[in-house]
Amino acid sequence: PYFAGTSAVSISGDHLYLSALDGFHVIDISDPAAPGDIGLVAGHYGADHMIGQDDLVYSAHQRGLRIYDVSDPSNPMLLTNSLEGEEVFDVALGDHLAVVTLGDDGLQVLDVGNPSKPSVAGSVETPGTTEVIAAYEDVVYRVKDTGLQVFRVTSSGRPVELRSVDLGLRPGSIAVVEGEFLYLSVSGRQGVAIVSLASPRHERAQS
């Protein structure tokens, strides 16, 4: 299938979630050779980043953090639009928490134990514009200039900086894989950098 204006995608299990000009789509990819467009929330376009977990999809959007219920893939529904009116650049998921980036306003941590009613648990100001983050358990990684900032989210929901890692390159995007490695695209068509994590709290930067 062709979807005009695709701005974000995420995969969870046998489904791909996609933001296009006509709305939020659910695509059945159980047969990769014959993907099927099985669900749509019309008019919900313009997501910057999305992430699926269990029966929910979290969508970072210019107008807030949208959370969709996809337990019935053929009938996806918007549960809530948290932080309505805020421009959310990215979202990452930890233990019952969603961490979002608010550009120049830093990081904000939401308790999503009840995903239909997220509540703000904590926040931290960060220098410069934050657009890309990732999380593993209670640790958050933020792309910063030529490296990373690493935060631990306390039990109260407050992010506390653990350290900064200068990678000597300018990362573009980031993902955590099994909590062992960070894979970063490098700006300027310089490929991919891999950061090895000896422990989520004790990082070793490698390229």
Side-chain angles (χ1 to χ4, degrees), residues 3-58:
F3 301 94
T6 299
S7 60
V9 296
S10 178
I11 293 176
S12 181
D14 288 335
H15 296 100
L16 181 146
Y17 308 106
L18 177 149
S19 176
L21 284 179
D22 59 344
F24 170 80
H25 290 261
V26 180
I27 314 297
D28 185 339
I29 55 172
S30 54
D31 180 359
D37 187 5
I38 60 174
L40 172 68
V41 181
H44 284 221
Y45 59 88
D48 289 318
H49 292 274
M50 294 194 300
I51 184 168
Q53 185 179 79
D54 300 325
D55 291 330
L56 300 170
V57 176
Y58 299 79

Side-chain angles (χ1 to χ4, degrees), residues 85-107:
E86 295 275 5
E87 184 172 6
V88 179
F89 288 87
D90 198 3
V91 56
L93 302 178
D95 292 339
H96 304 295
L97 298 171
V99 184
V100 299
T101 64
L102 301 176
D104 293 336
D105 294 327
L107 304 179

Side-chain angles (χ1 to χ4, degrees), residues 104-107 123-128 130 142 149 151 161:
D104 293 336
D105 294 327
L107 304 179
S123 63
V124 63
E125 293 185 1
T126 52
T130 300
R142 174 203 175 215
Q149 273 185 297
F151 298 86
E161 184 174 355

Side-chain angles (χ1 to χ4, degrees), residues 3-206:
F3 301 94
T6 299
S7 60
V9 296
S10 178
I11 293 176
S12 181
D14 288 335
H15 296 100
L16 181 146
Y17 308 106
L18 177 149
S19 176
L21 284 179
D22 59 344
F24 170 80
H25 290 261
V26 180
I27 314 297
D28 185 339
I29 55 172
S30 54
D31 180 359
D37 187 5
I38 60 174
L40 172 68
V41 181
H44 284 221
Y45 59 88
D48 289 318
H49 292 274
M50 294 194 300
I51 184 168
Q53 185 179 79
D54 300 325
D55 291 330
L56 300 170
V57 176
Y58 299 79
S59 175
H61 195 272
Q62 296 175 10
R63 301 187 182 95
L65 176 68
R66 292 175 173 175
I67 303 177
Y68 297 92
D69 181 345
V70 291
S71 55
D72 178 358
S74 64
N75 184 34
M77 297 183 297
L78 178 68
L79 277 181
T80 187
N81 185 18
S82 185
L83 303 175
E84 188 168 2
E86 295 275 5
E87 184 172 6
V88 179
F89 288 87
D90 198 3
V91 56
L93 302 178
D95 292 339
H96 304 295
L97 298 171
V99 184
V100 299
T101 64
L102 301 176
D104 293 336
D105 294 327
L107 304 179
Q108 194 161 96
V109 179
L110 301 176
D111 184 336
V112 291
N114 179 356
S116 62
K117 294 183 178 180
S119 58
V120 176
S123 63
V124 63
E125 293 185 1
T126 52
T129 299
T130 300
E131 295 189 4
V132 181
I133 53 170
Y136 177 74
E137 295 181 345
D138 63 348
V139 181
V140 178
Y141 301 87
R142 174 203 175 215
V143 168
K144 174 194 174 187
D145 300 325
T146 60
L148 300 171
Q149 273 185 297
V150 185
F151 298 86
R152 182 177 64 83
V153 179
T154 66
S155 58
S156 66
R158 185 172 65 91
V160 176
E161 184 174 355
L162 294 178
R163 62 179 299 189
S164 276
V165 180
D166 186 356
L167 302 178
L169 47 83
R170 188 170 294 278
S173 59
I174 181 174
V176 176
V177 180
E178 302 297 332
E180 297 176 359
F181 297 97
L182 298 176
Y183 293 85
L184 304 98
S185 67
V186 182
S187 299
R189 299 181 180 179
Q190 297 179 32
V192 175
I194 301 172
V195 180
S196 176
L197 308 179
S199 150
R201 293 180 179 80
H202 299 88
E203 296 73 19
R204 290 186 295 113
Q206 298 180 349

